[in-house]
Amino acid sequence: MAKHKRATIPAVELMDMNKWYGEYHALKNINLTVTPGERVVICGPSGSGKSTLIRCINRLEEHQGGQIIVDGIELNDNLKHINQVRQEVGMVFQHFNLYPHLTVLENCTLAPMCVRKQSKDVATANAMKFLERVKISEQAGKYPSQLSGGQQQRVAIARTLAMGPKTILFDEPTSALDPEMIKEVLDVMVSLVDESITMICVTHEMGFAKRVADRVIFMDAGEIIEEGSPDTFFNSPKSLRTQQFLNQILGH
Ligand code: ADP
């Protein structure tokens, strides 16, 4: 499908989407519409398909059935569509995935220069603005290995922001961090709420979900089991599986 204009184009639309790994049915009939600027938190037990779902949204994983449409662009085998979507959709990974041989600044200027064709001066000024935003500009000349995990994740967020994405996918961004570093990363993510960026975030940080999410989605065994506003989701979950998950994770 070519990019088409409608009154309000959803940021992300998954329609009867299915995904198999070989024989294993990892995602089953997923239907999800995310509106521009919406903040969605996806939670659920390990192995339920959360990471696979968001990786399908920028085609890091290929789906086999149904449709995925990102800002009006259908994800299929058309490489032009895949590149268009990847320019609009940033991703923050659990293990940061910074380039180890590049400095913090170079990590943040590489894609804007190569993909957005920014000049070095423009890309540097832009990157420094976002490094300041995540409070790490003083480390711009260091290499990732010289930084703590929390600092590396903040750089990864700055790198994503430097591309000017409409949507950011977060794949358990605090799961690999020591407890004392989780807050500094969550604080940066909370600060993004002021922007009009669409956020789809896989996380076990339920405090973050309560504070920031417009909608919480619960997945189990490759399916979306339940979704709702944080208030409804946490205070009156409908499904037994959601209740059991919340009891486990919130310890009550
Ligand atoms: P979650 O993010 O909820 O922990 P994942 O999306 O990582 O779950 O995984 C969902 C299921 O798909 C799991 O059973 C996992 O083992 C399986 N899976 C994930 N990636 C692959 C892969 N590359 N090949 C085969 N199976 C996979």
Side-chain angles (χ1 to χ4, degrees):
M1 190 189 302
K3 185 161 176 167
H4 53 268
K5 296 280 169 210
R6 276 184 272 154
T8 322
I9 298 176
V12 175
E13 228 177 342
L14 310 181
M15 288 177 282
D16 289 324
M17 194 268 273
N18 283 272
K19 158 85 189 157
W20 282 265
Y21 289 113
E23 299 281 295
Y24 181 70
H25 200 175
L27 293 173
K28 300 167 190 164
N29 299 319
I30 302 290
N31 286 289
L32 176 66
T33 302
V34 180
T35 55
E38 196 180 6
R39 301 179 294 270
V40 175
V41 163
I42 303 176
C43 62
S46 180
S48 56
K50 309 178 296 296
S51 176
T52 301
L53 189 150
I54 62 165
R55 290 168 68 85
C56 284
I57 296 172
N58 63 354
R59 197 75 170 185
L60 288 180
E61 294 290 351
E62 204 176 305
H63 62 290
Q64 282 84 37
Q67 281 183 300
I68 302 180
I69 301 176
V70 180
D71 195 27
I73 306 162
E74 177 159 11
L75 273 174
N76 47 30
D77 290 334
N78 187 325
L79 282 179
K80 202 171 142 214
H81 291 192
I82 296 172
N83 286 334
Q84 278 178 322
V85 166
R86 288 192 182 152
Q87 288 198 28
E88 291 189 8
V89 178
M91 185 146 186
V92 175
F93 299 88
Q94 187 175 349
H95 294 288
F96 331 132
N97 294 16
L98 296 173
Y99 295 108
H101 61 293
L102 298 181
T103 64
V104 162
L105 180 61
E106 288 164 347
N107 263 284
C108 296
T109 56
L110 182 70
M113 286 166 64
C114 294
V115 179
R116 295 259 188 254
K117 307 293 177 208
Q118 288 178 5
S119 69
K120 190 172 181 185
D121 286 351
V122 168
T124 299
N126 193 43
M128 287 308 293
K129 184 179 84 183
F130 288 110
L131 288 170
E132 270 156 37
R133 182 75 205 284
V134 303
K135 301 189 172 62
I136 203 153
S137 53
E138 73 284 359
Q139 315 278 16
K142 286 193 178 169
Y143 288 89
S145 61
Q146 296 173 300
L147 303 181
S148 73
Q151 290 175 322
Q152 288 188 56
Q153 193 59 298
R154 285 190 279 140
V155 172
I157 293 172
R159 176 178 65 172
T160 301
L161 290 171
M163 280 292 282
K166 289 185 180 171
T167 295
I168 303 184
L169 310 171
F170 291 89
D171 192 1
E172 299 205 30
T174 57
S175 300
L177 299 176
D178 292 333
E180 70 271 19
M181 291 170 192
I182 291 175
K183 186 175 178 297
E184 69 188 53
V185 171
L186 289 178
D187 284 348
V188 167
M189 290 169 65
V190 169
S191 79
L192 299 182
V193 167
D194 299 336
E195 316 271 330
S196 54
I197 300 172
T198 310
M199 292 168 71
I200 305 177
C201 186
V202 173
T203 183
H204 295 295
E205 294 293 335
M206 293 298 110
F208 172 80
K210 284 180 188 168
R211 205 166 145 202
V212 166
D214 296 308
R215 187 159 37 134
V216 185
I217 289 175
F218 173 69
M219 289 185 70
D220 195 13
E223 293 178 285
I224 293 179
I225 304 294
E226 181 162 352
E227 58 179 288
S229 69
D231 187 31
T232 316
F233 183 82
F234 289 109
N235 296 323
S236 41
K238 290 189 277 294
S239 128
L240 183 61
R241 277 196 273 178
T242 313
Q243 290 165 18
Q244 286 167 341
F245 174 77
L246 288 175
N247 285 344
Q248 262 175 5
I249 202 163
L250 300 173
H252 53 66

